[in-house]
Amino acid sequence: MATVTASTATFAVTKLLATTSPKLKQPLSLLSARKNPISLFSSSIAPFPLRRLQQPLRFSTVPQISAAISVGDKLPDSTLSYFDSSDELQTVSVSDLTANKKTIILAVPGAFTPTCSQKHLPGFVEKAAELKAKGIDTIACVSVNDAFVMKAWKEDLKIGDEVLLLSDGNGDFTKAIGTELDLSDKPVGLGVRSRRYAMYVENGVVKILNLEEGGAFNVSSAEDILNAI
């Protein structure tokens, strides 16, 4: 039925054009017969050819590193603890630690863990004199460990007064600045700790924040901070 209709329509249009324009030998070549014609009136229209992409789509898998705290923010207040040289338990607030001072705060995922004990903290002990020559008043290392563990770690590494080791035992400060690191799936039982970072703080305001992805150690060394100040 569709073929008859198409043929009738072609004949009618051809006759009309031939009557009005006798000089045209092929009045409607678009509708003339050809091998495998595609009729304008056909109910089956060939699909458009698909173009193959030259390159496959790519999606970024680079993790976004972010925290609640950022450069330009004032640090939230929190209470940290430590044992002094007389083995007396002391507490210090973040505001007292940083008010009217130039302070470096580094954080580690855990005391006695390899990278923290062999590279991160020792680097700041080694560079303490150079950092203080640049005007740094205090260098403090924070970890979600209790004060007894921090005291034992300090003694094990034979650290003097170069760096103040502070316990954020309940993780209050770590949570307040949004740098929690959930290691609950690890067989060693670390639980929720702090991501590794190093920050430079002036009068309580973050000026430099070198935050690592998890426990990586790429941008938070003492040399990184020395070069950035």
Side-chain angles (χ1 to χ4, degrees):
M1 183 66 181
T3 304
V4 173
T5 304
S7 300
T8 303
T10 303
F11 176 77
V13 173
T14 303
K15 183 177 181 181
L16 177 62
L17 290 176
T19 301
T20 55
S21 302
K23 294 182 180 180
L24 290 175
K25 294 183 179 179
Q26 293 181 341
L28 194 60
S29 60
L30 194 65
L31 296 177
S32 62
R34 66 181 69 177
K35 292 183 178 180
N36 301 323
I38 300 176
S39 173
L40 292 180
F41 304 95
S42 174
S43 59
S44 59
I45 300 175
F48 292 104
L50 296 176
R51 298 180 64 185
R52 182 174 296 178
L53 291 173
Q54 297 298 318
Q55 294 181 345
L57 293 175
R58 299 181 184 274
F59 297 91
S60 174
T61 57
V62 178
Q64 298 298 314
I65 306 177
S66 62
I69 198 74
S70 60
V71 172
D73 292 344
K74 188 173 182 62
L75 287 176
D77 205 7
S78 190
T79 300
L80 307 170
S81 61
Y82 67 99
F83 280 98
D84 64 17
S85 56
S86 301
D87 277 347
E88 295 291 332
L89 183 63
Q90 305 291 339
T91 60
V92 60
S93 67
V94 172
S95 59
D96 286 342
L97 186 68
T98 60
N100 300 312
K101 297 174 186 174
K102 295 180 179 179
T103 308
I104 289 175
I105 301 176
L106 61 138
V108 297
F112 291 102
T113 55
T115 302
C116 307
S117 299
Q118 297 167 14
K119 297 179 180 180
H120 198 189
L121 178 55
F124 279 90
V125 174
E126 181 183 341
K127 299 291 184 181
E130 293 179 56
L131 289 165
K132 291 181 179 180
K134 284 198 168 188
I136 301 301
D137 297 296
T138 304
I139 305 172
C141 176
V142 176
S143 181
V144 183
N145 287 106
D146 63 69
F148 293 96
V149 169
M150 297 298 280
K151 174 179 178 291
W153 192 33
K154 178 179 179 179
E155 292 172 351
D156 183 70
L157 294 178
K158 298 178 174 56
I159 297 174
D161 59 359
E162 301 96 341
V163 179
L164 180 62
L165 272 63
L166 298 174
S167 165
D168 182 24
N170 295 323
D172 293 338
F173 177 64
T174 298
K175 293 173 187 175
I177 64 173
T179 57
E180 304 100 312
L181 176 63
D182 190 353
L183 299 173
S184 301
D185 61 332
K186 305 302 179 185
V188 292
L190 292 173
V192 178
R193 298 300 183 97
S194 172
R195 288 163 62 182
R196 190 185 308 282
Y197 63 80
M199 65 171 73
Y200 169 55
V201 183
E202 284 186 8
N203 193 26
V205 177
V206 179
K207 297 298 184 180
I208 297 169
L209 175 60
N210 289 7
L211 179 65
E212 303 278 8
E213 178 61 29
F217 185 51
N218 299 313
V219 298
S220 60
S221 70
E223 289 188 358
D224 290 324
I225 293 297
L226 263 173
N227 293 334
I229 295 177

